Amino acid sequence: MQHNLTQTYRPKQLRELVGQDHITSVIEADLVERKPAGFYICYGQSGAGKTTLARMAATYLNCTAFKNVPCNKCINCVKIRNGTSSLVREINAADTTGVDASRELIQSLRYVIGKDKFRIVIMDECHRLTKNAWDVWLKPLEDGIRNTVFFFCTTEIIKVPKTARSRAVNNGYNFKPVSDKQTFRVLKGISKMENIDATDDQLERIAMDSEGSVRNAVNTLAQFYNAGAVDSD
């Protein structure tokens, strides 16, 4: 059976999200104090942690044994990490581009959840929303929906209307390409944990080829791992 390294080694705490300290150091206080803003935009490098941050926010805000970091063992944490929690709605904007679909989605978020729980809504590829769809979203993003936190993610921030960016914390958080050195350290750590027989040269090449995307690097390592060897060519 193939081993999903990307899922297994997805960061569980903010300090594990490499290369984005300029973001995690700021948002950590919001999450630890459980006083999040209602709307965050995460933009920039593909595979650098945008949706991972949003999922982690869900565990920080809903862990039942929370002590500055999520326990990752309680039922809420487990369901969130397994993708089976009703507290997380992950939507691809490509499937919700129009006005009617956006209105239906917003209306579905009006139902009340427990006062001690937070619903996390992740809108991936948000740049694909139409102008009219964005117009529908502006008021709920500005006014907020009780106990609901929106994370809109995109690799093309230039296509996100300024009227939307102005409503987000810090006008959005820019996820930067992760350095080859940092990516190498991630791969080295996984290789050690999984007993993968890979040389430093091989891991360095994977890191360089990933072009700033930790996800791509781990996916490449997983392909070789599941095939039983790391190519040395």
Side-chain angles (χ1 to χ4, degrees):
M1 183 175 67
Q2 291 195 339
H3 188 7
N4 188 335
L5 297 181
T6 306
Q7 180 64 29
T8 300
Y9 292 97
R10 185 186 294 276
K12 299 179 177 66
Q13 298 179 16
L14 291 173
R15 62 181 176 82
E16 297 174 359
L17 190 64
V18 298
Q20 312 302 336
D21 292 350
H22 61 292
I23 297 171
T24 56
S25 62
V26 175
I27 199 173
E28 183 174 20
D30 295 353
L31 301 181
V32 170
E33 295 175 11
R34 293 191 164 178
K35 295 180 180 179
F39 178 37
Y40 300 89
I41 292 178
C42 301
Y43 68 94
Q45 173 71 37
S46 174
K50 296 185 293 296
T51 57
T52 292
L53 174 65
R55 294 188 191 104
M56 275 197 290
T59 59
Y60 270 75
L61 295 172
N62 291 294
C63 175
T64 59
F66 186 78
K67 294 182 179 179
N68 293 323
V69 293
C71 71
N72 290 300
K73 295 179 180 178
C74 70
I75 188 65
N76 283 352
C77 284
V78 171
K79 284 187 174 182
I80 289 167
R81 290 193 59 78
N82 289 343
T84 58
S85 174
S86 61
L87 295 172
V88 178
R89 293 281 300 274
E90 188 163 354
I91 305 114
N92 190 314
D95 302 323
T96 320
T97 57
V99 171
D100 291 341
S102 293
R103 283 176 176 157
E104 289 177 9
L105 175 56
I106 292 168
Q107 186 59 37
S108 73
L109 299 173
R110 299 291 185 186
Y111 71 86
V112 178
I113 61 174
K115 66 178 182 178
D116 295 325
K117 296 180 180 179
F118 288 87
R119 179 194 296 116
I120 306 298
V121 178
I122 305 170
M123 180 70 76
D124 203 10
E125 297 189 73
C126 68
H127 60 272
R128 300 189 66 172
L129 292 172
T130 65
K131 179 183 181 302
N132 289 339
W134 274 114
D135 289 342
V136 170
W137 275 105
L138 291 180
K139 184 170 177 56
L141 290 177
E142 182 172 15
D143 294 347
I145 296 177
R146 183 178 177 181
N147 287 30
T148 299
V149 184
F150 294 97
F151 283 86
F152 278 37
C153 304
T154 178
T155 54
E156 300 185 51
I157 189 64
I158 194 171
K159 295 182 180 180
V160 176
K162 291 182 179 179
T163 49
R165 289 190 63 182
S166 67
R167 288 162 167 78
V169 177
N170 200 46
N171 288 312
Y173 288 120
N174 182 10
F175 282 67
K176 299 177 181 179
V178 180
S179 71
D180 293 347
K181 186 175 181 179
Q182 289 172 311
T183 303
F184 168 79
R185 284 200 291 260
V186 172
L187 298 176
K188 185 73 172 178
I190 294 174
S191 296
K192 184 176 181 180
M193 291 293 294
E194 298 292 337
N195 294 315
I196 299 174
D197 186 17
T199 67
D200 285 356
D201 286 344
Q202 290 167 332
L203 297 179
E204 286 172 354
R205 191 179 73 249
I206 293 174
M208 287 188 292
D209 289 345
S210 71
E211 298 182 334
S213 170
V214 174
R215 181 182 63 209
N216 288 351
V218 176
N219 281 340
T220 300
L221 182 65
Q223 290 172 17
F224 291 127
Y225 171 80
N226 290 319
V230 175
D231 188 359
S232 59
D233 291 342

